[in-house]
Amino acid sequence: MNTEFANAYSNSGAAWAIGPARIYSKLARVLLGCSPIELSGATLLDLGAGTGAASRAAAELGAHTFALDMALGMLRAGPHSRAVVGDACALPFRDNAFDAVVAAFSLNHLPQPRVALEECVRATKPGGIVLASAYAKDDFHPIKQAVEDAARNHGWTAPAWRAEFSEKVAPILSTAEGFQHEAAAASLDAEVRNIVVSMDEVTPEQLVDWRLGMPWIAPFADALDPDERLSLAKEAVMSLPDCPPLKRSMLVLIAHLK
């Protein structure tokens, strides 16, 4: 699944940058705001960096950022000045390389997140921090189903790996107990917080762009001619006349290493 997953993300970099990036940029700032140490001047690894939401948030705080992701296309779509394609479960960095390792919604893509957490600890200096986030089990918005229903009406079918990810992988870190369990298995003493982030400023049309930029649907949406894509988007918006504001329920792991 990892190869298919990485390829899907790599092929969705441009769509991600104009859709989901809007959502993830705000969440990344919330995540970095949980740091128990000053990040100005810190060396920071953005693990699973994608198009750079956490890297930008860290740079705004004065950190010197390095980005790593398995999806080359995502890295190319971002503003990264120092980036490498690599595996979160086998980081290509020496021990104690960073003051901070930040994994913004990336560990929840792994079937064994504890292995990546072990690597995070290995690559972090004593006194440094590991920050990670994942979506909580109760995170939901009806636009998700509305967009997928509209896409099916236009011929989309979900890739096979989507079901495995949704049913087996993402749930591992979808509860505070699960996150704590994986951290403990990695010998990591960590706090896990549940934070709800309101995004009332995001319009229904932007919500559709968010969902059409996800890797299981972006290649299909990008292949549509402009008129059909617009028709799909309008169909999704019209199916939710009382579209609620977006709220994202996220779990944040905070570990300050000794």
Side-chain angles (χ1 to χ4, degrees), residues 151-251:
R152 287 189 183 91
N153 291 340
H154 289 258
W156 172 74
T157 57
W161 57 260
R162 168 75 188 288
E164 183 179 352
F165 168 69
S166 299
E167 296 169 9
K168 297 181 180 179
V169 178
I172 296 171
L173 299 182
S174 67
T175 64
E177 294 78 12
F179 225 144
Q180 288 280 13
H181 177 76
E182 293 298 304
S187 300
L188 185 60
D189 183 14
E191 171 192 0
V192 177
R193 299 177 188 171
N194 191 185
I195 301 174
V196 177
V197 182
S198 296
M199 299 187 177
D200 297 349
E201 72 280 5
V202 181
T203 67
E205 291 76 17
Q206 291 170 337
L207 289 174
V208 171
D209 286 339
W210 160 41
R211 300 315 298 174
L212 289 180
M214 302 308 289
W216 49 84
I217 197 169
F220 168 81
D222 288 346
L224 297 175
D225 67 60
D227 288 342
E228 188 170 5
R229 190 185 191 283
L230 181 60
S231 174
L232 188 163
K234 287 182 176 179
E235 185 178 329
V237 171
M238 291 179 65
S239 71
L240 289 176
D242 298 314
C243 184
L246 180 63
K247 295 184 187 298
R248 307 245 51 190
S249 181
M250 60 190 277
L251 295 170

Side-chain angles (χ1 to χ4, degrees), residues 134-149:
Y135 288 118
K137 189 175 182 179
D138 64 352
D139 181 74
F140 174 76
H141 192 283
I143 198 67
K144 296 181 180 182
Q145 190 63 51
V147 169
E148 294 196 3
D149 287 345

Side-chain angles (χ1 to χ4, degrees), residues 2-106:
N2 283 347
T3 300
E4 292 177 320
F5 210 84
N7 288 340
Y9 267 89
S10 195
N11 293 331
S12 305
W16 186 280
I18 63 173
R22 176 182 289 106
I23 309 299
Y24 283 84
S25 291
K26 185 168 184 176
L27 297 178
R29 292 187 179 94
V30 173
L31 175 61
L32 270 293
C34 293
S35 173
I37 68 170
E38 174 66 47
L39 292 177
S40 178
T43 55
L44 181 146
L45 174 63
D46 182 1
L47 179 62
T51 62
S55 292
R56 285 188 292 271
E60 290 169 3
L61 297 173
H64 304 295
T65 62
F66 298 78
L68 178 140
D69 202 291
M70 285 191 71
L72 177 60
M74 294 289 278
L75 292 173
R76 282 178 169 167
H80 308 294
S81 58
R82 295 178 291 268
V84 62
V85 174
D87 187 345
C89 294
L91 294 178
F93 302 108
R94 59 177 173 78
D95 295 357
N96 306 328
F98 301 99
D99 298 305
V101 176
V102 176
F105 303 99
S106 56

